[in-house]
Amino acid sequence: MAASMNTAGEENILRDIKNQFFEMVPIRRMKWKTTHSDEDVSPDMQRAVLKATVQHATCKQYPPSLNYQRAFVKSILHKLEDIDADICDEIYETYSDLLQQKEEEDDTLCYKTYTLPCGNTISLQESVHLISQGTTGLSTWQAALNLAEWCMENSTFLKNKRVMELGSGLGLTGITVCKNNQMKSYTFSDCHPQVMYLLMRNIETNLAEQSSQTVFTPPDVFPSSSKQCPEKKDGRMIKSIRRQLSTNTEASNPCSVSMCSDIMEISYTSTASSSYDDTEDMFSDSADFQIESQNWVMDDCLPGMYCFCQDERIRLMKYDWETSDDRVLWDIAPDVILAADVVYDVSIMPALVSVLRKLLSLEMECGQRATAVIASTIRNEDTRDHFLIVLANEGLTYEIVDSPTKRIFHYEDTIPIEILKIRCPAAS
Ligand SMILES: C[S@@+](CC[C@H](N)C(=O)[O-])C[C@H]1O[C@@H](n2cnc3c(N)ncnc32)[C@H](O)[C@@H]1O
């Protein structure tokens, strides 16, 4: 940082801008703190902002989308022009460099980096669209961030527990828990093949033993029928996801995602093409999805379950609430079930709640039963009420728990997020 950039207030401003930038907070929602001094817009401060964001090493290793980087620098330019401030050359140069950079494919996959209070970061590869490929799982939702904050504040609740997460998506909640909490084990699960693929990569990027910030060897995850060398496969895998995501932005077919009715209400990028047909599509056979990576070992006893070699507490499982075999749940026997933003689709609720009931009614060795903690964004009261009715019909009880007191991440909070603890009372 420049010599004059060392007051606590300025450092605070920079940290806040940096965190918002790497989380890719929409530019219109970005909050710029101020020390109310001229230093806020001085050329030194402008350089410091560039260094903390677009010129930062994280931006090279885990780049936010190029469009976002451009919009960010452009917004700084506009802000400075509006107040007639002295604009340093680096701002113009950086903006011009960004304009000249070629977008990789369609800029549909990017990294978002979330900073934890201890300073550690979590970098997740995500889609820039909320709904893509007919799934909501390719981006991180507010409830996942809220639940991660809750878990950080309730570390004793998770201590030495076997945790299973349903509908993990890209893994933000679970990766935060694995970094912060001393749980006995953590099983990530989801059903969508592309979500599973990015989830696996995100776990490797962030939870590999050595360091979350080191470059990892490309994994080798593939539909089992495909036989190619690992690096090529990995590149093709990402290319395949990118290509499908960009196709989806062009072809809009709301019918194919109409089931996600609740989420559709707030999605401005709704685009899934169920008719997309490409013989090169690596994910065309979603049922046939296997990890063939040296970083993961298949569990011989549990079908679809993989153990992470770098940390044996971490497991990843393809589990579909509607079609997967229940028996695997008895083998996992979690003490705690976590899920974020899985209550949005009325049609899937019976299957989800049935899985919850099976997990919550298992008697542990100690005679105790598990507890589920579900965080939901309440976009639609009817959807939430319907969920509560389905819970009651399955004999499950719930309580609303206190929201996390401290905001760590920068997500939209105009729509309330509710966290429920759900249990299955023992028969008297
Ligand atoms: C709205 S996303 C939430 C993802 C993540 N928990 C978050 O909050 O960022 C819902 C997730 O549930 C998963 N999901 C939907 N239906 C499912 C099913 N039948 N079985 C398992 N997972 C499912 C989706 O693949 C997706 O990852």
Side-chain angles (χ1 to χ4, degrees):
M1 207 187 307
S4 58
M5 291 289 120
N6 54 7
T7 68
E10 285 160 357
E11 280 182 16
N12 198 11
I13 291 177
L14 281 178
R15 194 177 321 113
D16 202 55
I17 294 174
K18 178 181 173 190
N19 291 350
Q20 292 183 74
F21 170 80
F22 282 111
E23 282 181 34
M24 279 179 65
V25 171
I27 304 295
R28 69 190 147 74
R29 275 212 306 108
M30 262 188 138
K31 293 199 175 82
W32 297 78
K33 288 185 179 165
T34 170
T35 61
H36 301 287
S37 79
D38 289 348
E39 284 303 311
D40 282 357
V41 291
S42 68
D44 274 347
M45 187 59 163
Q46 295 168 27
R47 282 183 209 102
V49 168
L50 292 178
K51 267 191 191 148
T53 55
V54 283
Q55 293 174 354
H56 195 274
T58 305
C59 197
K60 292 235 149 36
Q61 193 170 3
Y62 301 116
S65 90
L66 185 55
N67 280 330
Y68 182 80
Q69 295 181 51
R70 286 172 180 161
F72 173 76
V73 179
K74 190 174 173 186
S75 80
I76 297 179
L77 255 175
H78 283 169
K79 273 185 204 305
L80 294 170
E81 281 168 358
D82 284 350
I83 56 167
D84 224 3
D86 258 357
I87 303 178
C88 70
D89 290 347
E90 283 90 331
I91 300 264
Y92 292 112
E93 285 160 16
T94 307
Y95 186 53
S96 143
D97 285 352
L98 285 169
L99 287 180
Q100 280 167 34
Q101 263 180 49
K102 198 172 159 290
E103 280 173 31
E104 195 182 321
E105 303 290 323
D106 291 291
D107 209 23
T108 45
L109 272 186
C110 60
Y111 281 95
K112 294 188 184 173
T113 297
Y114 304 87
T115 304
L116 303 180
C118 60
N120 283 346
T121 54
I122 295 175
S123 294
L124 303 183
Q125 198 164 17
E126 306 197 8
S127 161
V128 292
H129 306 294
L130 288 179
I131 299 181
S132 24
Q133 285 300 293
T135 177
T136 53
L138 291 170
S139 48
T140 297
W141 292 79
Q142 296 101 309
L145 295 158
N146 190 260
L147 184 59
E149 290 172 344
W150 187 89
C151 291
M152 281 191 263
E153 284 185 17
N154 291 274
S155 49
T156 45
F157 178 75
L158 294 168
K159 195 165 180 185
N160 293 328
K161 298 285 171 33
R162 284 182 301 256
V163 185
M164 177 177 184
E165 187 181 354
L166 301 174
S168 296
L170 298 178
L172 187 278
T173 304
I175 292 171
T176 307
V177 169
C178 292
K179 276 184 175 288
N180 275 278
N181 296 78
Q182 294 170 327
M183 71 294 157
K184 194 180 270 175
S185 64
Y186 197 101
T187 304
F188 294 83
S189 73
D190 209 286
C191 68
H192 191 279
Q194 296 185 346
V195 175
M196 290 290 292
Y197 176 74
L198 290 183
L199 173 60
M200 180 213 62
R201 283 184 64 121
N202 287 337
I203 294 172
E204 292 182 322
T205 302
N206 293 283
L207 296 175
E209 222 167 46
Q210 290 80 358
S211 158
S212 62
Q213 314 304 324
T214 55
V215 178
F216 70 97
T217 319
D220 190 8
V221 180
F222 256 75
S224 59
S225 50
S226 242
K227 293 287 171 211
Q228 297 173 355
C229 91
E231 290 77 10
K232 267 198 186 156
K233 278 191 216 171
D234 191 60
R236 289 195 62 209
M237 205 71 163
I238 289 295
K239 228 175 168 183
S240 170
I241 297 178
R242 280 186 190 281
R243 196 177 48 229
Q244 291 182 37
L245 291 177
S246 60
T247 304
N248 284 342
T249 59
E250 288 151 22
S252 176
N253 178 5
C255 301
S256 57
V257 285
S258 62
M259 303 299 256
C260 315
S261 50
D262 195 8
I263 278 180
M264 283 292 289
E265 282 177 22
I266 55 114
S267 169
Y268 47 89
T269 56
S270 140
T271 49
S273 166
S274 57
S275 58
Y276 180 73
D277 178 27
D278 186 336
T279 46
E280 290 221 296
D281 174 10
M282 314 297 291
F283 297 96
S284 53
D285 184 358
S286 62
D288 186 20
F289 185 82
Q290 284 185 14
I291 299 180
E292 298 167 9
S293 163
Q294 55 188 19
N295 293 319
W296 297 88
V297 183
M298 177 144 32
D299 190 314
D300 292 337
C301 308
L302 301 179
M305 173 77 85
Y306 294 85
C307 301
F308 188 37
C309 301
Q310 304 265 353
D311 184 341
E312 59 187 17
R313 298 172 308 159
I314 295 169
R315 300 187 296 182
L316 171 61
M317 181 174 67
K318 180 168 189 285
Y319 191 82
D320 189 324
W321 315 323
E322 290 184 290
T323 56
S324 291
D325 190 340
D326 301 344
R327 282 169 299 182
V328 72
L329 301 178
W330 294 314
D331 290 305
I332 299 168
D335 308 290
V336 174
I337 298 109
L338 296 179
D341 224 331
V342 290
V343 180
Y344 55 89
D345 179 355
V346 170
S347 72
I348 200 88
M349 276 182 203
L352 169 63
V353 175
S354 167
V355 169
L356 280 176
R357 191 191 40 77
K358 281 168 196 148
L359 287 167
L360 294 173
S361 57
L362 294 175
E363 294 273 353
M364 304 294 153
E365 280 163 18
C366 56
Q368 296 232 323
R369 290 182 171 198
T371 305
V373 182
I374 312 265
S376 311
T377 305
I378 312 297
R379 303 180 189 93
N380 179 333
E381 297 268 343
D382 291 344
T383 309
R384 192 267 309 264
D385 292 349
H386 188 85
F387 179 62
L388 299 182
I389 290 168
V390 183
L391 286 180
N393 289 344
E394 287 277 353
L396 302 178
T397 58
Y398 69 87
E399 60 178 302
I400 300 173
V401 301
D402 289 339
S403 304
T405 52
K406 203 162 166 257
R407 276 294 288 273
I408 293 161
F409 306 112
H410 301 81
Y411 49 93
E412 176 99 73
D413 57 2
T414 47
I415 309 175
I417 298 173
E418 188 173 79
I419 303 183
L420 296 181
K421 261 189 188 169
I422 302 169
R423 295 192 177 89
C424 179
S428 48

